[in-house]
Amino acid sequence: MTLLDVRNLSKTYPGAGGSTVKAVSDVSFSIGPGEVLGVVGESGCGKSTLGRSLLRLIEPSAGEIHFDGRDLMELDRGQLKPVRKDLQIIFQDPFGALNPRHTVGGIIGEPLKVHRVGTRAERAARVAELLDLVGLPADAAKRYPHEFSGGQRQRIAIARALALNPKLLVADEAVSALDVSIQSQIINLIADLQKRLSLSIVFISHDLSVIRHVSDRIAVMYLGRIVEIGPSEELMTNPKHPYTQALLSAIPRPNVPRTGRIVLKGELPDPANPPAGCAFHTRCPHVMDVCHSDRPKLARPQEGEPDSPLEVACHLYKAA
């Protein structure tokens, strides 16, 4: 079964001098019930734009988003509102995501109030239940966001996202703004809640070492496109795309010599003026003539690595 099916999703912005910036370009993937898809890539590759476009917090420029059997792109604002109960997001910044004028109880209970779920007493009971679920005391409901640490604020944001029992959760860099010592606590909390509640999650991060702990599958993005996607363990142990290999080589590993590090030369290309052919060819250590002119399609290799469960967009692996 498929809960979320995304086809050829694109998002463009007007750039300087009449140019067009392709933040997300022709992205396709699917997620099953209870599955976690990690989305990873450098800053500026389009990860956050993709996550927000899935929920139509940013309106996509083209493509299809089928969620639970309905095409979200065909729904107007009124029709989309009841569907939003099943689609929630955790934002990156736990300081800016919470209204400082509202109590924690009011913040967590707001989705219930907006969607007219339960009586006042039932909503208060649900808030207490959610606070306990994310490891915060019941009296936190009467306090304000500024009274909490960054990790505690992110727990509040998670509780709010879970208030309506969503089917799909987008975690947009949910731990990158936190201290390293707190990151593991929030990652473990999200992983535990995912199992207990059978949540489907799109987990966005720039850190592959974080992604691997929570994801069933991983999608690697480069300049607005998915260049490799597949099962987490296979991608982490036997990556195919040179970009994925470079990302993995940069992960620090205790007591392991830093040999085999792949250092990419040059900067991320300008999305307003992307290179022709494969966008990665300007930095790729295996660049070939065909890379300059032909854009590779995301497909399972039929030559070179025919038994791999990964899909890769690279001319090193010919598709059928």
Side-chain angles (χ1 to χ4, degrees), residues 64-83:
E64 301 176 7
I65 308 171
H66 294 273
F67 175 74
D68 209 12
R70 305 181 69 180
D71 188 353
L72 300 187
M73 295 297 291
E74 295 182 351
L75 304 182
D76 60 30
R77 187 172 182 178
Q79 295 170 322
L80 190 60
K81 182 178 178 180
V83 181

Side-chain angles (χ1 to χ4, degrees), residues 4 16 32 75 150 160 165 194 213 235 272 279 291-292 307:
L4 179 71
L75 304 182
R160 177 178 60 185
N165 292 314
Q194 187 274 328
H213 289 295
L235 187 140
C291 304
H292 294 269
D307 297 326

Side-chain angles (χ1 to χ4, degrees), residues 81-288:
K81 182 178 178 180
V83 181
R84 289 199 183 281
K85 290 193 294 184
D86 293 326
L87 298 161
Q88 294 294 315
I89 186 170
I90 304 169
F91 294 101
Q92 175 179 353
D93 182 10
F95 299 92
L98 306 178
N99 191 326
R101 297 175 180 268
H102 291 183
T103 63
V104 168
I107 290 170
I108 297 175
E110 186 175 15
L112 301 170
K113 189 175 181 180
V114 168
H115 288 275
R116 300 180 181 179
V117 176
T119 64
R120 180 178 294 183
E122 289 170 338
R123 290 196 291 267
R126 176 61 174 160
V127 168
E129 178 187 354
L130 288 162
L131 285 170
D132 181 65
L133 189 66
V134 298
L136 292 174
D139 64 0
K142 299 179 180 180
R143 296 157 63 187
Y144 289 86
H146 73 269
E147 301 179 60
F148 296 89
S149 67
Q152 290 172 322
R153 292 189 197 194
Q154 199 62 293
R155 290 174 185 267
I156 294 167
I158 292 170
R160 177 178 60 185
L162 297 177
L164 295 167
N165 292 314
K167 295 180 181 179
L168 177 69
L169 186 65
V170 175
D172 184 11
E173 296 276 12
V175 298
S176 64
L178 305 176
D179 291 342
V180 174
S181 60
I182 304 300
Q183 286 184 9
S184 60
Q185 297 178 22
I186 300 302
I187 292 168
N188 291 335
L189 174 63
I190 292 175
D192 178 61
L193 292 172
Q194 187 274 328
K195 292 177 182 177
R196 292 170 61 181
L197 304 176
S198 298
L199 282 168
S200 296
I201 300 178
V202 178
F203 194 97
I204 297 169
S205 177
H206 63 275
D207 190 341
L208 263 172
S209 61
V210 169
I211 286 281
R212 76 177 303 176
H213 289 295
V214 296
S215 303
D216 299 303
R217 291 187 300 136
I218 296 175
V220 181
M221 289 190 69
Y222 185 81
L223 211 66
R225 294 178 180 271
I226 293 178
V227 297
E228 188 165 9
I229 186 170
S232 297
E233 285 306 310
E234 180 68 20
L235 187 140
M236 294 295 295
T237 57
N238 192 24
K240 300 292 177 287
H241 199 282
Y243 179 60
T244 309
Q245 294 168 358
L247 291 179
L248 282 170
S249 75
I251 298 177
R253 300 180 182 180
N255 303 320
V256 176
R258 294 302 298 273
T259 57
R261 172 72 189 274
I262 302 172
V263 179
L264 298 178
K265 298 180 180 179
E267 299 292 332
L268 192 70
D270 183 359
N273 185 28
C278 175
F280 187 62
H281 83 258
T282 58
R283 306 169 74 190
C284 182
H286 306 290
V287 63
M288 303 178 289

Side-chain angles (χ1 to χ4, degrees), residues 9-25:
L9 190 69
S10 297
K11 177 60 183 177
T12 60
Y13 293 100
S19 63
T20 299
V21 178
K22 296 181 179 179
V24 175
S25 185

